């Protein structure tokens, strides 16, 4: 690893620790997920990488893609909405209370 790469990684870690790093946040409607890509030192750097992340998700057939560059400090890089994947019940759930005497 070159010295320049090491210095860049140190600065990225510093900015990330402060919560001032830039991230690309991408949400998709199908599957219902939020993805975070980064950290980046500047919004311009994040904007430059954003199209590539969108293209990757498009190639995976994600639908309803929205991308934004923002300052944040995500705890998790991929947030999957599990409730969106639960099958719908065709019959209602019935309570058994009052049926046993």
């Amino acid at each position: 690893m070159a010295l320049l790469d090491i210095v860049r990684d140190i600065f990225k870690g510093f900015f990330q620790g402060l919560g001032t790093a830039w991230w690309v946040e991408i949400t998709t409607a199908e599957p219902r997920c939020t993805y975070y890509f980064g950290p980046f030192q500047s919004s311009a750097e994040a904007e430059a990488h954003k199209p590539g992340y969108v293209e990757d998700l498009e190639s995976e057939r994600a639908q309803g893609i929205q991308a934004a560059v923002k300052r944040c400090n995500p705890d998790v890089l991929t947030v999957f909405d599990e409730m969106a994947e639960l099958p719908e019940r065709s019959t209602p759930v019935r309570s058994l209370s009052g049926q046993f005497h």
Side-chain angles (χ1 to χ4, degrees):
M1 185 180 282
L3 180 59
L4 182 61
D5 292 332
I6 293 170
V7 172
R8 185 177 58 233
D9 289 345
I10 290 170
F11 278 113
K12 279 186 180 181
F14 173 75
F15 288 118
Q16 181 59 24
L18 292 177
T20 59
W22 292 91
W23 290 79
V24 176
E25 178 190 73
I26 299 179
T27 58
T28 58
E30 185 61 38
R32 192 177 299 174
C33 292
T34 302
Y35 305 92
Y36 293 94
F37 300 95
F40 299 99
Q41 293 179 24
S42 68
S43 62
E45 182 184 8
E47 285 287 349
H49 285 84
K50 185 171 65 172
Y53 300 132
V54 171
E55 287 175 18
D56 287 346
L57 290 169
E58 288 173 339
S59 72
E60 293 176 12
R61 297 192 174 122
Q63 300 294 314
I65 299 171
Q66 295 186 0
V69 171
K70 59 173 54 178
R71 277 192 162 150
C72 60
N73 191 9
D75 293 328
V76 180
L77 300 181
T78 302
V79 180
F80 177 71
D81 185 352
E82 295 172 6
M83 295 302 291
E85 297 299 317
L86 293 176
E88 292 184 32
R89 287 189 174 264
S90 58
T91 57
V93 176
R94 299 175 194 251
S95 173
L96 297 177
S97 63
Q99 292 186 9
F100 294 103
H101 298 265

